[in-house]
Amino acid sequence: MYTDTEVCNMALAMIGEGHMIESIDEHSVTAEACKRFFNLCLDSCNGTYNWSFARRDEVIDSSFLLSDVVALPYRNAYRLPEDVFKIIRIGEISDTSESETLGRRSTVLFNFRNYDNKRILVADIEAPFAIQYQCRITDVSVCDPLFIEALSYLLAHKLCGCIIRDANAANLGTYMYNMFRTTVGKAAALDAQQGNRGVAEKAYSGFLRARR
């Protein structure tokens, strides 16, 4: 389990900053620099991939409908759950992976609009329906270790420009960003391995499964 402060201290250590912080909310130059960039880096990391630890499902029923909103060319507008970061999939509540594989699902077209300074969903589909979405991460303790490492590198990249005051700042910042790209790629590849068929299922070919 990791905390915001631990991530900040990892980033500070990466750039050779000897002063560690007690809290991201403390009144110090390093803590204030970390706090300035932390949420931006967290959102940027979250946006690189559909992470399994940030994935949620929600039923959008009639209580989400915004009946007084016009959003051409779509027929319906819906408010979104407060923690939606990015929508991955929209479909009927009864949709399954098998029905998708067999081609029984129809494509649901959707888009977004700004309503009352909030993002809303617009689509032709009628409520109730289901959405699968990536939530905004507010607690890094749910994140995988490689994601945390990637986040630390990205934060270190941002901190180089405001903490390091010598000619090496630019080169170190570039190195940290390249390490972020490498590490976030590894984290995404590892995360992509989750949720597949079980080992026992993979051990048999389709022919042998049919004979069983």
Side-chain angles (χ1 to χ4, degrees), residues 49 51 144 146 182-194 196:
Y49 182 71
W51 306 99
D144 291 338
L146 265 180
T182 299
T183 308
V184 82
K186 291 179 180 178
L190 183 63
D191 194 72
Q193 296 175 18
Q194 302 184 58
N196 293 324

Side-chain angles (χ1 to χ4, degrees), residues 68-103:
D68 58 338
V69 175
V70 176
L72 297 175
Y74 300 94
R75 292 198 301 264
N76 301 309
Y78 302 92
R79 64 179 178 84
L80 291 166
E82 292 291 332
D83 63 342
V84 167
F85 182 75
K86 178 171 59 179
I87 288 185
I88 301 169
R89 173 181 170 184
I90 293 180
E92 303 293 339
I93 298 173
S94 59
D95 280 349
T96 66
S97 58
E98 286 76 16
S99 65
E100 183 175 6
T101 301
L102 296 174

